[in-house]
Amino acid sequence: MKRPTRIDAEEKLVLTANCLLDGHIVWLDQEGRWCSSIAHAAMFEPDTIDAALEKAKAHAQLDEVVGIYDVVVRPGPPLRPVSVRENIRAFGPTVHPQFSKEIER
Amino acid sequence: MNAPVGHYQYDSVDRAFLQSRIDEFADQVARRIDGSLTEDEFKPLRLMNGLYLQLHAYMLRIAVPYGILDARQMRKLSSIARRYDRDYGHFTTRQNLQFNWIKLEDTPAILRELAEVDMHAIQTSGNCIRNVTSDEFAGAAADELVDPRVHAEILRQWSTLHPEFTFLPRKFKIAISGSPHDRVAARFHDIGILTRPGPNGPLFRIFVGGGMGRTPLVGQEIFDSVREEELLATLEAILRVYNAHGRRDNIYKARIKILVQALGIDAYREAVQAELSQMDLARYRLTPEIVEAIRARFAVPNLHAPDNASEIFLADQKRDRKFARWVQSNTHLHRAPGHIIAVVSIKPAGGIPGDATSEQMSRLADLAEQYSFGELRVTHLQNIVLGHVRQDKLYALWQELEKIDLAAPNHSLIGDIIACPGLDYCSLANSRSIPIAQKLSARFANADLQSEIGKLSINISGCINACGHHHAGNIGLLGVDKRGEEFFQITLGGRADEKAAIGSILGASLPEDEMVDAIARIVDRYLAIRGPGESFLDTLSRLGDAPFKEAAYEIA
Ligand code: HEM
Ligand code: SF4
C-alpha cells in the first residue's frame, strides 16, 4: 500500500489503518489510541516513524486494526495529507458529500 | 406474480452447499475477530467469499450469474443496501453488484440473507473462474441465433468449485453470446464464446487470450466450430494448458493472454489438441439429454401480445416526443411480435454510473414484475434491462421510470459512460474516475445534443487494471499518478464489439481538472469535421487522430 513520497522540510508523518470490524479509517492519536479524525493524529518526524510503526503493528490485533502505514501530511491547521488519495481517506469520497468524515461524526 | 423467468432454479443440493459454505465463512470471520487468524491468513479466505477491504470500508461483491436477477432477488439486494450499507448498491461491468460500506461482522448475516434468494458472493474474486457473463438481451433479441443462457448455466455449474481450477495462476473470465453482434466483449475475455446454430445442434466459436489491464490484447480465435458435445472438454483442455504453463512467478504476466502471446495461437491450439487427445472425453461429453435437463429448469415467458400492440406503441411515440426519443436510444428489437426490450439507464445526467438507491432497486423489482415477467438483467455497460416488455405497455413503464429518475435516453450515447470506482473507493487507484464521469454526463446532458453526437462510448479507469475498460472505449481515460496528483491519459479508437480494437494513446496525460474541457473539445471537433452519417470511429479512421490531438491539447 505504501507509496514512496518525498517528504519536504515542513511536512510530517502520521499513522493510519482500517478498523478490523467495519473497515473504517482511523488515525493514531497522541495517547496511542486509534481515532476517526485526522485532526487528532499524532505527528512524527521521519527519524521516529519507523519505531512508531513497529510498535503500532505489534498491537494491531489487540487494537482491532489492519493495514497500518504512514502518511505524509502538512501540519496545517487544518492538518491535511499531501496526496489526493490520503485526503480522500481522511475526509471521505468526494462523490458522496453526505458520507464525509465530518458528517459521520 | 408470474413465475420468474430467465434463470436456473436452484435445488436442495445447491441450497445445502451454500449453507455449509456460509457456516464455514462465519467461523472464519469469528476466528479473525478473536485473533486466531491473522490478516494474512484471512485475506485469501475473505476474497474467496467476495469480501475486499477498500479505502473506507469492506466491499462485498455479489455474483449475478450471467447477469440475470429475478424481482425477489432485486428486492433482497435493495433491503441489504438499506440495512447493511448506505442505502445504495453499485452495478458493475461484470454484471455483478458491489456494496461499498460493509462491516466485516455483518457479512455472515448478509450472506445468509442472500442465500434465502439463491444468491452468493463465491467466485467474484480470487484466482478462479469468475462469474460467467452473457448477452444482456439473451433469449429476447431479434438478432439472436442461439439463446446463450443454457450454456452459460452449464459453464456456471462446470466452473463452480472446479477442483482443478480453484488455484489458477490468475483470475479467469469467460463470456458467452449467441448473437452475431457481440454484446459481451467476447474478444476481451480470457475465453470468449460465440454460439450459432449448426446442422446438428449449436456450434461454438472460441476466442482465447483477450484482456485489458496493463497488457491489453484482443483475443484470438482458437477454434471456429466446436460441437456442443465437445464444448466442456475443449474448455477443460484450454484451462489445463493454462493451469500447467501459465506463469505464477509474476502477477503481471500470469493471465492466459500472456501465455497465448508467448506461445502463439497455433502452438496453444496444438497443446490443447494434445491435451484433448489424452482426456477421457466421455466424461466431459455434453449430451443433448444433459442440455435439455438444464433447459427445463428455465421458466419460459408466455409472450402473448394483443394484435394492436404495435399500433398503440406507434401512437404513443407520435403523441410524446420525449418518449419517442427514449424509445430510439433505449430499446432493442424483440424476437416476439408485439414485444420489445427496454434498457433502463443507470446513468442519470450528473449521476454516478451504475449506482442505484435501495428505493430505485425495489421499484425496479416492482416494475419487472409488472412489465417483464419478474426478470431483470444487469448489463456490462452497468445498466439494467427489462427483457420482455409488451409494446403497448412500454409507455406506462417509461412514465414509471421517469418518476424514479431512471429514464435517461442515453443508452450507447455519450452519457452512457463506464467508470470504475477509482480513487474515491478503490485502494489501488491513481485517480478518481467517477467525478469526471459525472461532469461529462452533466455537460452532455441535453438529449438532443446526445442524439446528434450519436454512438460514442467513454470509458474511464482509475488505474492500469482497466476495470472501466478504457482500452475498449471509443474515448478512453486512464488515471495516472504524478507525485500524488491525478492525471489522465486519453486513448482513442477502442471498441469491444465484433471489430474489437484497443485504443491508441493520444499524447501526454493531462491534469484532472482539464479533462472535461479536453474531451468536450474532441467531441466538438468531431461534430465539426465529420462527414454525413459518420460515427466518431468512422471519422477517426478516415482522418486519423491528428485533428483530435490538436483539439485536446489546444491551449484554452
Ligand atoms: C473497487 C474494487 C476493485 C478492485 C480492488 C479491482 C481490482 C482489479 C484488478 C487488480 C484487476 C486486474 C487484474 C488483472 O489484470 O489480472 C481488475 C480487473 C478488472 N476489473 Fe476490477 N477491481 C475493482 C472493482 C471493479 C469494478 C467495480 C468493476 C466493474 C465496474 C471491475 C471490473 C473489472 C474488469 C472487467 C476487469 C478485467 C480487465 C481485464 O480484462 O483484465 N472491477 N480489477
Ligand atoms: S481500474 Fe484501478 S482504480 Fe479502477 S477499480 Fe480497477 S483497480 Fe480500482
Side-chain angles (χ1 to χ4, degrees):
Chain A
M1 280 309 134
K2 189 177 165 187
R3 297 177 181 216
T5 318
R6 227 177 43 215
I7 163 159
D8 292 343
E10 74 282 13
E11 293 169 349
K12 307 268 186 234
L13 292 155
V14 299
L15 287 183
T16 187
N18 289 82
C19 278
L20 172 63
L21 292 185
D22 58 15
H24 288 193
I25 290 155
V26 285
W27 309 88
L28 192 72
D29 72 10
Q30 255 124 32
E31 275 84 56
R33 284 186 310 243
W34 292 98
C35 65
S36 63
S37 168
I38 192 174
H40 304 299
M43 280 181 275
F44 298 89
E45 299 294 337
D47 56 347
T48 58
I49 192 69
D50 287 344
L53 192 58
E54 278 312 302
K55 191 172 155 205
K57 281 185 176 167
H59 279 122
Q61 181 65 40
L62 225 59
D63 293 346
E64 300 196 332
V65 293
V66 294
I68 306 172
Y69 64 96
D70 55 321
V71 170
V72 184
V73 295
R74 291 201 189 97
L79 193 165
R80 292 187 78 91
V82 171
S83 74
V84 180
R85 176 184 204 265
E86 292 305 328
N87 270 286
I88 291 172
R89 285 183 77 251
F91 303 110
T94 62
V95 295
H96 274 130
Q98 71 274 31
F99 303 156
S100 83
K101 296 280 273 186
E102 306 309 320
I103 291 173
E104 259 174 48
R105 250 171 277 125
Chain B
M1 181 197 132
N2 298 305
V5 301
H7 70 75
Y8 180 83
Q9 293 290 310
Y10 268 31
D11 62 19
S12 56
V13 178
D14 298 306
R15 297 203 173 98
F17 162 72
L18 266 195
Q19 285 307 331
S20 67
R21 176 74 178 239
I22 296 168
D23 292 343
E24 180 187 69
F25 186 56
D27 180 56
Q28 291 162 347
V29 170
R31 285 193 288 143
R32 175 65 187 111
I33 291 174
D34 74 18
S36 23
L37 286 176
T38 64
E39 186 60 18
D40 286 348
E41 288 163 338
F42 181 62
K43 189 175 172 188
L45 302 173
R46 68 167 158 76
L47 289 177
M48 279 183 192
N49 292 282
L51 190 66
Y52 289 71
L53 181 54
Q54 286 297 290
L55 276 191
H56 312 281
Y58 289 93
M59 179 272 274
L60 184 65
R61 184 181 289 159
I62 293 158
V64 182
Y66 32 98
I68 300 205
L69 284 170
D70 61 47
R72 155 193 85 112
Q73 294 173 323
M74 186 64 120
R75 231 170 247 127
K76 178 58 87 181
L77 295 174
S78 161
S79 94
I80 290 173
R82 201 174 305 129
R83 177 150 179 217
Y84 299 102
D85 201 277
R86 298 196 168 180
D87 215 24
Y88 75 101
H90 179 75
F91 292 100
T92 80
T93 54
R94 297 216 75 253
Q95 302 182 317
N96 291 330
L97 180 106
Q98 293 184 182
F99 286 121
N100 280 323
W101 298 90
I102 293 299
K103 297 188 166 99
L104 173 63
E105 38 184 352
D106 287 341
T107 42
I110 298 172
L111 294 177
R112 284 191 212 288
E113 292 212 19
L114 286 171
E116 286 169 19
V117 295
D118 301 336
M119 295 186 85
H120 58 76
I122 300 168
Q123 282 171 248
T124 59
S125 172
N127 295 335
C128 56
I129 301 179
R130 301 287 186 89
N131 186 32
V132 173
T133 54
S134 187
D135 186 350
E136 53 245 28
F137 300 154
D143 61 351
E144 182 170 275
L145 303 172
V146 175
D147 182 347
R149 289 170 303 177
V150 172
H151 295 92
E153 172 59 28
I154 291 169
L155 297 185
R156 184 187 76 81
Q157 297 191 10
W158 161 74
S159 64
T160 299
L161 307 173
H162 191 306
E164 213 178 306
F165 304 144
T166 307
F167 297 100
L168 291 167
R170 199 72 182 88
K171 60 165 101 168
F172 204 92
K173 297 178 179 178
I174 302 180
I176 178 165
S177 168
S179 162
H181 301 107
D182 183 352
R183 285 183 285 262
V184 301
R187 293 158 184 85
F188 279 117
H189 279 76
D190 296 290
I191 292 184
I193 306 174
L194 301 178
T195 158
R196 65 181 191 279
N200 305 303
L203 293 172
F204 299 84
R205 185 172 176 209
I206 300 182
F207 294 86
V208 291
M212 306 210 201
R214 186 175 303 264
T215 316
L217 287 167
V218 174
Q220 302 181 65
E221 184 183 295
I222 183 162
F223 297 113
D224 172 45
S225 308
V226 174
R227 289 181 301 143
E228 184 175 66
E229 61 170 28
E230 286 158 3
L231 178 64
L232 287 187
T234 307
L235 296 177
E236 182 94 14
I238 293 173
L239 268 130
R240 281 193 185 173
V241 171
Y242 169 55
N243 205 18
H245 302 291
R247 287 185 60 172
R248 292 170 196 265
D249 59 325
N250 180 341
I251 186 172
Y252 300 123
K253 304 213 154 141
R255 297 286 291 263
I256 191 175
K257 61 189 175 188
I258 305 292
L259 183 63
V260 172
Q261 193 189 36
L263 293 179
I265 187 71
D266 295 327
Y268 201 98
R269 186 183 302 112
E270 279 163 31
V272 170
Q273 278 159 341
E275 183 65 36
L276 275 168
S277 70
Q278 56 168 34
M279 275 167 64
D280 174 11
L281 293 182
R283 238 190 97 200
Y284 297 96
R285 181 159 297 135
L286 200 50
T287 63
E289 294 73 38
I290 297 177
V291 177
E292 277 322 302
I294 302 269
R295 197 188 308 279
R297 300 279 284 276
F298 284 80
V300 182
N302 176 11
L303 298 171
H304 183 79
D307 292 341
N308 63 348
S310 303
E311 267 166 58
I312 295 174
F313 179 44
L314 281 177
D316 288 338
Q317 292 179 69
K318 266 208 188 108
R319 209 174 44 233
D320 191 329
R321 201 178 92 81
K322 205 171 164 198
F323 172 60
R325 194 167 42 209
W326 180 80
V327 169
Q328 200 184 11
S329 54
N330 285 47
T331 60
H332 188 87
L333 291 183
H334 198 284
R335 64 187 162 83
H339 286 78
I340 194 152
I341 303 171
V343 181
V344 180
S345 166
I346 313 288
K347 321 266 176 84
I352 298 180
D355 272 13
T357 63
S358 68
E359 174 65 20
Q360 287 174 325
M361 288 192 251
S362 82
R363 281 298 293 148
L364 281 172
D366 298 341
L367 295 175
E369 271 171 358
Q370 227 175 319
Y371 295 98
S372 194
F373 302 89
E375 183 221 68
L376 306 115
R377 296 118 182 268
V378 184
T379 83
H380 80 294
L381 299 173
Q382 301 178 282
N383 292 315
I384 298 287
V385 162
L386 295 178
H388 313 285
V389 182
R390 253 172 56 184
Q391 291 182 352
D392 53 323
K393 297 200 167 168
L394 189 67
Y395 190 50
L397 168 61
W398 172 76
Q399 287 172 316
E400 295 296 329
L401 291 172
E402 285 253 288
K403 287 185 205 156
I404 50 172
D405 200 21
L406 291 180
N410 61 11
H411 175 57
S412 289
L413 301 179
I414 195 169
D416 197 0
I417 298 169
I418 295 185
C420 77
L423 193 48
D424 282 301
Y425 290 98
C426 177
S427 51
L428 306 174
N430 292 324
S431 309
R432 289 171 298 155
S433 311
I434 299 171
I436 293 199
Q438 290 180 294
K439 283 183 260 181
L440 281 171
S441 87
R443 177 113 169 203
F444 292 102
N446 183 303
D448 289 324
L449 175 61
Q450 290 204 46
S451 102
E452 191 196 332
I453 296 168
K455 267 189 186 303
L456 203 170
S457 61
I458 299 184
N459 294 39
I460 312 173
S461 303
C463 80
I464 196 63
N465 285 321
C467 302
H469 298 183
H470 66 277
H471 298 297
N474 298 168
I475 298 179
L477 303 182
L478 163 64
V480 291
D481 173 293
K482 290 206 174 167
R483 280 210 73 230
E485 299 294 326
E486 301 166 286
F487 275 68
F488 282 88
Q489 195 177 67
I490 304 174
T491 51
L492 296 185
R495 59 197 294 175
D497 60 5
E498 52 283 2
K499 295 184 188 149
I502 292 156
S504 316
I505 297 171
L506 193 61
S509 57
L510 291 170
E512 198 263 353
D513 56 3
E514 290 177 26
M515 280 322 291
V516 173
D517 287 338
I519 301 302
R521 289 195 299 268
I522 290 177
V523 175
D524 284 345
R525 182 61 60 96
Y526 155 64
L527 290 177
I529 62 178
R530 70 176 169 187
E534 239 180 19
S535 70
F536 177 76
L537 288 178
D538 294 337
T539 307
L540 177 66
S541 72
R542 180 168 59 88
L543 296 173
D545 67 7
F548 301 111
K549 191 164 180 168
E550 192 185 280
Y553 296 97
E554 181 180 290
I555 307 303

